[in-house]
Amino acid sequence: MEHPMRQWSKARLLALFLVLVTTPAAAREYDWCSSVAVRPDQYFRDKATCANSFSDTEIGAGADAVLVGDFTDVASPVVAAPARTCAPTPSHATNAAYVQRLRTARASAGGAPLEIVHMHRFELVPFTLAAQPQFSPVHLLRTARTFPEVTGFFSSDRSAPCLARACRWTDSYAGLEGRDAGRRLRDFVDAKGGTGSHQSAVYYLARPDGTGVYYPTSAMADLRSPAYRAWRVQEARNALLVGGYDSVDLNHKLHQYLFGPHWIQSTTVPDVAALDARADTFWSAPPTGYGYSEYVQGWYALAVDLRAARVPYSVTIALRAWLGSSFDDKSTPAVDEAALIRAVMMGARLVLLDYERASTPQVTLDQARREIEAYGPRVIPIDQTCGLRIEKPLPPPAPPTLER
């Protein structure tokens, strides 16, 4: 007969095993000092081996939400999206495999399902979307600045970066000149709007990379256009179906409209040296008749359209947007932009509430979270000032657990 203590030990081990495999995964800290993992499909511990910033197992162990994908992803590609590290042909279809891996990891770990969010950019039109049959140049913002002024900002610059090497503008995404004939954003704009139409668009520039070559990643759209919103809402619906996401990110760039001119050849960016020093995504020109209030109204209308189409969205926004009127433009008394922004938050599936941990009273955060969640969204507090974990030394892998 087996010794009683040995029998007891087996029973205890079995009980411990059952606890480990059935206990829901506890929330852990990932990026932004939060339970959110930010683009682990695009940030890597080791690019040579494509080891993600967080492994599938790490995410399954306790993340609450994961942000994945890129603004160039489309559901039915007409042209191939630009390759990314460890993703030679990115699209919603190729993202789907990664999404399923994460769901499998969470199912193995136990706990509530992950919220997987696609990183949409509704206000931007990259060449992958401009190639779609639904695209029209009438959807784009317009500028009175001439295109030679845009290109001349770089070619005529005499600040330090352009003394070391000649600076210039290129219409080719990522500077792939000679390898993208017929696939440049300008080609699709001109194909629909006529030769030279691309010269009146407002472009969103890539961050400077030190090469002296500057290019657009996309054109900027007018969110007030019902036809544009209808097209992008349908594209978002298709993204959910193809990619298997839970929601799409209703991205915003409120700060770019709020804090001074955000275009080149302005008081903010008078020359290339200032552009390089800021290391941000500036615009090629000021849009005509489209400022902060117009942007917020279009963004709010898009949220309403997404809700009406039953396309769930997430929003990442500062706590102060909920607490007061600091997001209201006092120069437009007929429009309460702060109220529109709060309405967008109320209609979201997920709100990533950005606050500074060091200076925000816990009672303030808790109260705001209860108030927002009373309208239906799930709220996850984040602190973007913390940055991403991949920017800091990663801890050693956790030791194997019993259920493995």
Side-chain angles (χ1 to χ4, degrees):
M1 181 176 178
E2 194 170 27
H3 192 281
M5 182 57 74
R6 185 172 296 171
Q7 291 178 333
W8 178 85
S9 297
K10 284 184 176 180
R12 186 174 184 181
L13 284 172
L14 178 60
L16 178 59
F17 173 82
L18 292 174
V19 167
L20 288 171
V21 299
T22 59
T23 300
R28 295 166 56 179
E29 187 173 291
Y30 293 81
D31 292 313
W32 297 336
C33 295
S34 72
S35 59
V36 179
V38 180
R39 290 182 170 175
D41 58 323
Q42 296 180 55
Y43 295 121
F44 303 94
R45 306 174 200 238
D46 182 358
K47 293 181 181 179
T49 62
C50 296
N52 302 95
S53 56
F54 295 103
S55 70
D56 300 354
T57 300
E58 287 172 315
I59 290 173
D64 284 326
V66 186
L67 310 183
V68 301
D70 188 83
F71 74 107
T72 61
D73 295 332
V74 293
S76 300
V78 173
V79 295
R84 299 197 297 263
T85 302
C86 301
T89 56
S91 70
H92 293 303
T94 53
N95 291 344
Y98 181 65
V99 169
Q100 185 53 53
R101 277 170 40 196
L102 296 184
R103 297 203 188 283
T104 299
R106 171 48 58 84
S108 297
L114 278 172
E115 177 74 15
I116 302 181
V117 182
H118 183 264
M119 297 294 284
H120 254 56
R121 285 297 301 272
F122 286 96
E123 80 278 23
L124 299 183
V125 180
F127 73 86
T128 50
L129 277 166
Q132 300 291 309
Q134 302 93 328
F135 167 71
S136 170
V138 301
H139 298 149
L140 303 180
L141 295 176
R142 290 291 182 264
T143 174
R145 177 176 286 178
T146 67
F147 203 60
E149 287 181 90
V150 173
T151 59
F153 173 80
F154 301 100
S155 61
S156 301
D157 187 80
R158 294 297 177 266
S159 61
C162 302
L163 292 177
R165 62 201 178 307
C167 294
R168 61 187 176 88
W169 167 277
T170 177
D171 296 315
S172 297
Y173 188 94
L176 298 175
E177 296 166 301
R179 289 176 283 170
D180 60 353
R183 292 179 47 225
R184 297 170 301 181
L185 178 56
R186 63 171 287 177
D187 298 325
F188 298 113
V189 175
D190 285 357
K192 293 287 184 71
T195 302
S197 297
H198 72 280
Q199 296 193 14
S200 60
V202 180
Y203 295 102
Y204 201 77
L205 307 187
R207 284 185 171 84
D209 59 7
T211 64
V213 179
Y214 301 83
Y215 61 90
T217 63
S218 49
M220 295 172 61
D222 188 338
L223 294 180
R224 297 171 301 177
S225 166
Y228 176 74
R229 296 198 307 268
W231 168 38
R232 294 303 305 268
V233 168
Q234 185 58 50
E235 177 66 25
R237 179 190 290 277
N238 294 339
L240 296 180
L241 293 173
V242 175
Y245 320 108
D246 297 297
S247 57
V248 292
D249 183 43
L250 183 51
N251 179 273
H252 66 81
K253 290 296 181 182
L254 296 172
H255 71 281
Q256 293 186 350
Y257 289 85
L258 276 172
F259 304 125
H262 199 77
W263 49 85
I264 60 174
Q265 204 167 337
S266 67
T267 54
T268 307
V269 186
D271 54 29
V272 172
L275 177 64
D276 285 1
R278 296 292 291 269
D280 200 353
T281 48
F282 283 89
W283 313 340
S284 64
T288 300
Y290 195 83
Y292 174 70
S293 186
E294 290 79 15
Y295 176 70
V296 172
Q297 291 176 64
W299 188 64
Y300 165 77
L302 178 57
V304 171
D305 291 350
L306 288 168
R307 289 271 295 180
R310 297 187 178 182
V311 176
Y313 65 85
S314 74
V315 63
T316 302
I317 197 157
L319 171 62
R320 66 187 180 92
W322 182 259
L323 296 180
S325 61
S326 61
F327 278 73
D328 183 37
D329 183 354
K330 304 306 180 187
S331 69
T332 58
V335 180
D336 186 344
E337 291 84 7
L340 295 180
I341 291 169
R342 285 192 293 271
V344 172
M345 297 169 70
M346 294 175 195
R349 173 186 171 99
L350 172 68
V351 174
L352 301 183
L353 197 59
D354 193 8
Y355 76 108
E356 292 195 19
R357 295 197 301 182
S359 59
T360 304
Q362 188 65 40
V363 65
T364 302
L365 175 65
D366 292 343
Q367 178 65 24
R369 185 173 186 175
R370 285 193 298 269
E371 291 173 355
I372 298 169
E373 289 186 333
Y375 290 95
R378 180 185 185 184
V379 175
I380 300 177
I382 65 172
D383 182 357
Q384 287 188 316
T385 64
C386 293
L388 307 182
R389 286 278 298 280
I390 196 66
E391 298 167 350
K392 306 163 188 174
L394 287 162
T401 55
L402 188 59
E403 72 270 23
R404 301 298 177 220

